[in-house]
Amino acid sequence: MRNTTYLRRNWQLYALLVLPVIYFLLFKYGPMYGVQIAFKEFNFFQGIGGSEWVGLDIFREVFHNNDFFKALRNTLLLNLLDLIISFPAPLILAIMLYELKVIWFKKFAQTILYIPHFISWVIIGGIVLQVFGTESGFLNNLLTGIGLDAVPFLSNKHYWLITYLLVGVWQSAGWGTILYLAALTGINKELFEAAEVDGAGRFKKILHISLPGIKTTIATLLIINLGNMISIGFDRPFIIGNVAVRDYSEVLSTFVYRVGIESGQISLATAVGLFQALVGLVFLLGANYASKKLADESIL
């Protein structure tokens, strides 16, 4: 009876949830029907239901494929470097923005930092080529103009790694500050005023008030990032990468595209996708457990 009264009083809130729930049912849970392809020798003419079951044969084929392990290694490497370099960048930027006192400059800086997030990776790929290209790139024209050697930013795998990471920071760091800025805004201002009265400088206020005040947000985003360690977006490595640096640019998402779409091995691509999802779940649960034990913060 009490539940019925509560539902009648708050039915608008539940009505707002209807569309998101339908979206998740249709586009997130519905496609799980196709996961069975990973255990079948998929035949286009017989369809998913009519294809022959082959047990774990597809997974055995995946784990005997050297290209798969190279893609897995590159995925973990790029995600780990992204976690080390790209994860702290929004946090540092957010604290710097929060400390700005000139309001118009703060809004101007936020706008400039947000813009790259809205630019398509196709356009970013063109910008990267124009800036870092070996023959006609702006930077190399500048270097050769002052008598220095050109740097193979996009054709040497070590320089490519640095370029890949810096482009990622430029594209995502500004947008990533939103959550941290929201969390910083929620900190009680009286704590900062009390610290100033006690003689604390800006650095000590950041260290003892700002960072502890947003530690829950930091832990949550860290857990989510660790959960995505084995999955990686398709656009960035595919557009910035090229044949010369395939040793590093071939990751699981591009491997799935190459095997599943270009070669037509749908079962193999599905098995790799399922492997990513299961290992990602293990990473997520492990990171959540470690965070709960070490910092008493978790998302589950």
Side-chain angles (χ1 to χ4, degrees):
M1 186 65 184
R2 185 180 298 175
N3 287 339
T4 307
T5 307
Y6 177 80
L7 283 172
R8 282 180 181 169
R9 188 182 303 157
N10 300 284
W11 68 269
Q12 297 94 338
L13 296 175
Y14 290 91
L16 288 173
L17 271 177
V18 170
L19 281 179
V21 168
I22 291 174
Y23 167 81
F24 274 92
L25 287 175
L26 284 179
F27 297 106
K28 299 296 181 182
Y29 290 98
M32 286 184 183
Y33 170 75
V35 168
Q36 59 180 299
I37 294 175
F39 304 95
K40 289 185 170 185
E41 191 65 51
F42 181 68
N43 186 307
F44 281 102
F45 300 102
Q46 294 174 337
I48 296 176
S51 298
E52 182 187 356
W53 289 97
V54 292
L56 298 175
D57 286 357
I58 305 297
F59 287 93
R60 292 191 187 95
E61 187 179 346
V62 168
F63 295 135
H64 283 89
N65 189 317
N66 290 330
D67 287 344
F68 165 74
F69 283 105
K70 186 186 290 183
L72 178 62
R73 181 205 65 184
N74 292 341
T75 302
L76 290 171
L77 174 67
L78 293 179
N79 280 335
L80 180 64
L81 291 174
D82 251 344
L83 189 69
I84 294 170
I85 295 172
S86 300
F87 181 76
L91 175 62
I92 296 168
L93 268 179
I95 290 175
M96 292 169 69
L97 286 169
Y98 186 72
E99 291 295 323
L100 289 177
K101 302 300 179 192
V102 182
I103 301 300
W104 71 265
F105 183 75
K106 185 176 181 177
K107 290 182 177 177
F108 174 75
Q110 280 180 281
T111 305
I112 293 296
L113 291 169
Y114 291 164
I115 286 175
H117 173 77
F118 298 101
I119 302 176
S120 159
W121 273 108
V122 176
I123 297 173
I124 291 177
I127 295 172
V128 168
L129 194 62
Q130 291 297 318
V131 174
F132 298 104
T134 306
E135 299 295 332
S136 58
F138 166 76
L139 277 179
N140 275 323
N141 282 340
L142 193 65
L143 290 173
T144 53
I146 59 176
L148 298 175
D149 293 332
V151 178
F153 291 109
L154 302 177
S155 54
N156 177 286
K157 56 187 180 183
H158 300 297
Y159 286 110
W160 181 85
L161 263 181
I162 297 171
T163 308
Y164 174 89
L165 293 170
L166 292 179
V167 170
V169 171
W170 172 74
Q171 193 269 344
S172 63
W175 186 252
T177 60
I178 290 177
L179 285 176
Y180 291 122
L181 280 172
L184 285 166
T185 308
I187 298 175
N188 190 344
K189 297 289 187 297
E190 292 179 359
L191 293 174
F192 292 101
E193 293 169 4
E196 283 180 4
V197 171
D198 289 342
R202 182 163 291 179
F203 180 73
K204 283 191 174 179
K205 284 192 286 184
I206 292 171
L207 195 62
H208 296 292
I209 300 175
S210 299
L211 289 177
I214 59 172
K215 70 175 184 179
T216 303
T217 306
I218 298 172
T220 303
L221 293 177
L222 184 61
I223 290 169
I224 293 172
N225 274 275
L226 286 172
N228 289 327
M229 279 296 287
I230 202 167
S231 64
I232 189 166
F234 174 80
D235 298 343
R236 188 170 153 205
F238 182 75
I239 290 173
I240 300 179
N242 56 69
V243 178
V245 294
R246 179 164 283 181
D247 277 351
Y248 280 172
S249 67
E250 178 79 323
V251 293
L252 285 177
S253 55
T254 56
F255 175 77
V256 167
Y257 168 76
R258 194 162 53 80
V259 170
I261 305 298
E262 292 185 347
S263 303
Q265 300 180 64
I266 304 298
S267 297
L268 198 70
T270 308
V272 174
L274 183 58
F275 170 79
Q276 277 184 276
L278 292 176
V279 177
L281 180 63
V282 172
F283 269 94
L284 180 67
L285 294 176
N288 185 69
Y289 178 79
S291 175
K292 195 171 185 177
K293 286 292 180 186
L294 297 174
D296 200 25
E297 300 287 349
S298 67
I299 59 176
L300 297 175

